[in-house]
Amino acid sequence: DKDALFLYMHIPFCEIRCGFCNLFTTIHPGQSLETAYLDTLNIQAKRVHEALDGASFARMAIGGGTPTYLNPDELTQLFAIAANIMQVDLKNTPASVETSPLTSTTARLQILRDHHVDRISIGIQSFIEEEVRAAGRAQKTRDVHLALERIRAVGFPTLNLDLIYGLPGQTVSSWIESLQMALMY
């Protein structure tokens, strides 16, 4: 049945390589690789669309890596591939996008909302900086809160916060602290 498929588009770019990640991704790929990747994704989408012959999509997700590593113009291009080639009805198809605290800029987030993304998932892992560093990330808790405030201001209906239990140095009390901070949002 091709009447309610799930479209997933993978963006394999990140600002850092996290110690817990086992996904296909590369850090700081450079503009030429980003451009080549989107060009190739465009070609692949055309082939898949032809092969699916009239399929429609019930859901869409853009993951990675960190899709919001792409700049606003590249994100717009990505949504054009979904809408114009894959024929996704962006206004009526629930869509989810992965982001990170450092790439959750207002401009990027607004592109997502302008294209009707209704669920954003942000990889926080922990609100405790020592735990985050132990996981191979250098984010500051202040940056996490600022990103969450921007996400809230842009108005996504659904917010997912990724937390990891069992990080090096994590205690029951620090885990509860992260959970309580997450629940504030």
Side-chain angles (χ1 to χ4, degrees):
D1 182 10
K2 296 186 283 185
D3 291 336
L5 298 179
F6 184 104
L7 177 65
Y8 174 75
M9 296 193 301
H10 186 78
I11 304 300
F13 308 131
C14 288
E15 69 269 14
I16 59 169
R17 180 72 181 182
C18 300
F20 55 84
C21 181
N22 65 353
L23 301 172
F24 174 73
T25 187
T26 186
I27 61 169
H28 301 291
Q31 190 59 51
S32 63
L33 184 56
E34 292 169 37
T35 300
Y37 187 84
L38 288 172
D39 289 346
T40 303
L41 184 61
N42 190 58
I43 292 166
Q44 182 68 23
K46 288 176 183 175
R47 290 182 179 151
V48 169
H49 178 70
E50 289 172 13
L52 290 176
D53 189 33
S56 61
F57 296 92
R59 290 205 50 81
M60 179 175 85
I62 304 171
T66 310
T68 52
Y69 183 86
L70 299 175
N71 67 45
D73 289 338
E74 292 166 333
L75 285 170
T76 299
Q77 182 182 352
L78 188 63
F79 283 103
I81 292 169
N84 300 333
I85 297 173
M86 297 304 294
Q87 300 295 303
V88 175
D89 177 0
L90 296 177
K91 288 183 181 178
N92 296 305
T93 303
S96 178
V97 176
E98 298 281 335
T99 192
S100 72
L102 295 178
T103 64
S104 295
T105 66
T106 300
R108 287 178 174 109
L109 295 172
Q110 193 59 58
I111 294 291
L112 302 182
R113 280 304 292 143
D114 289 348
H115 289 91
H116 308 283
V117 170
D118 60 341
R119 180 184 181 272
I120 191 156
S121 181
I122 184 167
I124 293 170
Q125 316 331 329
S126 174
F127 283 91
I128 312 300
E129 288 181 20
E130 296 78 23
E131 294 174 5
V132 173
R133 275 196 300 279
R137 295 183 97 162
Q139 74 197 24
K140 301 287 184 204
T141 302
R142 179 181 180 278
D143 293 331
V144 171
H145 288 292
L146 291 171
L148 289 168
E149 288 170 16
R150 288 189 298 270
I151 288 168
R152 182 183 282 163
V154 171
F156 290 90
T158 304
L159 170 62
N160 178 77
L161 301 164
D162 291 344
L163 298 174
I164 295 179
Y165 176 77
L167 291 170
Q170 191 175 59
T171 64
V172 171
S173 119
S174 68
W175 172 242
I176 290 171
E177 183 180 341
S178 280
L179 288 174
Q180 289 172 332
M181 292 183 117
L183 290 171
M184 290 178 2
Y185 294 95

